[in-house]
Amino acid sequence: MFSFEKLKKELNKLIQPDFFQKELNRLKQELSNFEPYKRIQKPTQKHINELEKQYKNLSKKIAEKQSELDKEFNSAVNTLKQKRDEAEDHIKDLQKLALNQKKSVEKMIRKQMKSLGLTQTKKKSKKKTKKVNKKKSSSKKTSKKSTKTSKKKTK
């Protein structure tokens, strides 16, 4: 029936690495020669090549658009900086003009007050006279106070 020798030989063939490697190579070769495999492989490879080309073209277009966008953005930023600088200069000019107008109006008001006899005494001179007056006797202080009140009433 079954001989142990035959069984032993078959097992040894399967276990041997050379035999196993030969069988794998033979199966690969048969599969590559198989007609449906070739039919599937050719269109798939073409499709993969087309997809790779499309990807390359798309990545080039994206890079070009990105560089265009960067250029436009940088030019917009430069324009904004230039406009900001112009606006700052214009504001400074307006501030100078307003200050000059304020000074001229104050000058005109002083002239009109002087012509009407409504000139104001400087506060600094009042402070100096007060310090000097404090050092003098108390009788002189009272006489000066009365003259100050009379001046206020005339205004």
Side-chain angles (χ1 to χ4, degrees):
M1 297 202 102
F2 290 108
S3 74
F4 285 109
E5 289 297 318
K6 285 183 181 181
L7 192 62
K8 197 176 192 184
K9 285 182 183 179
E10 289 294 321
L11 283 173
N12 280 339
K13 283 182 184 178
L14 290 174
I15 294 174
Q16 289 178 359
D18 293 338
F19 177 76
F20 186 69
Q21 190 67 29
K22 287 178 185 176
E23 284 297 311
L24 276 177
N25 288 336
R26 186 185 59 83
L27 286 173
K28 283 182 185 178
Q29 199 170 27
E30 285 180 12
L31 184 61
S32 64
N33 291 334
F34 193 52
E35 190 67 27
Y37 176 76
K38 287 183 180 179
R39 287 184 185 168
I40 292 172
Q41 186 182 11
K42 287 180 183 178
T44 305
Q45 192 63 38
K46 287 180 184 177
H47 186 67
I48 288 173
N49 290 338
E50 288 177 19
L51 288 175
E52 287 175 351
K53 287 178 185 177
Q54 289 176 356
Y55 175 76
K56 287 177 185 177
N57 290 335
L58 185 63
S59 63
K60 284 180 185 178
K61 287 180 182 178
I62 289 172
E64 289 173 3
K65 293 295 179 183
Q66 182 67 40
S67 64
E68 288 176 18
L69 182 66
D70 289 341
K71 286 178 184 176
E72 289 179 17
F73 179 77
N74 289 335
S75 66
V77 167
N78 290 335
T79 304
L80 283 174
K81 286 180 182 178
Q82 183 181 9
K83 295 295 181 183
R84 182 194 64 199
D85 292 341
E86 290 174 5
E88 286 176 353
D89 292 341
H90 186 66
I91 288 172
K92 287 178 184 177
D93 291 342
L94 290 175
Q95 285 175 340
K96 287 178 184 177
L97 181 64
L99 185 63
N100 289 338
Q101 287 179 351
K102 178 186 171 192
K103 286 180 181 179
S104 64
V105 167
E106 287 175 347
K107 192 182 250 186
M108 288 176 21
I109 290 172
R110 275 191 233 116
K111 283 182 182 178
Q112 288 179 355
M113 288 179 69
K114 190 175 185 179
S115 66
L116 295 173
L118 302 173
T119 59
Q120 295 178 343
T121 57
K122 293 183 180 178
K123 293 181 179 180
K124 290 181 181 178
S125 62
K126 286 183 181 179
K127 288 181 181 179
K128 288 181 182 178
T129 57
K130 284 184 180 179
K131 289 181 182 178
V132 172
N133 288 338
K134 287 181 181 179
K135 291 179 183 178
K136 293 182 182 178
S137 65
S138 62
S139 63
K140 290 182 180 178
K141 286 182 184 177
T142 56
S143 64
K144 286 192 177 185
K145 286 183 181 178
S146 62
T147 58
K148 286 182 183 177
T149 55
S150 63
K151 285 182 183 178
K152 287 182 183 177
K153 289 180 183 176
T154 57
K155 287 184 181 179

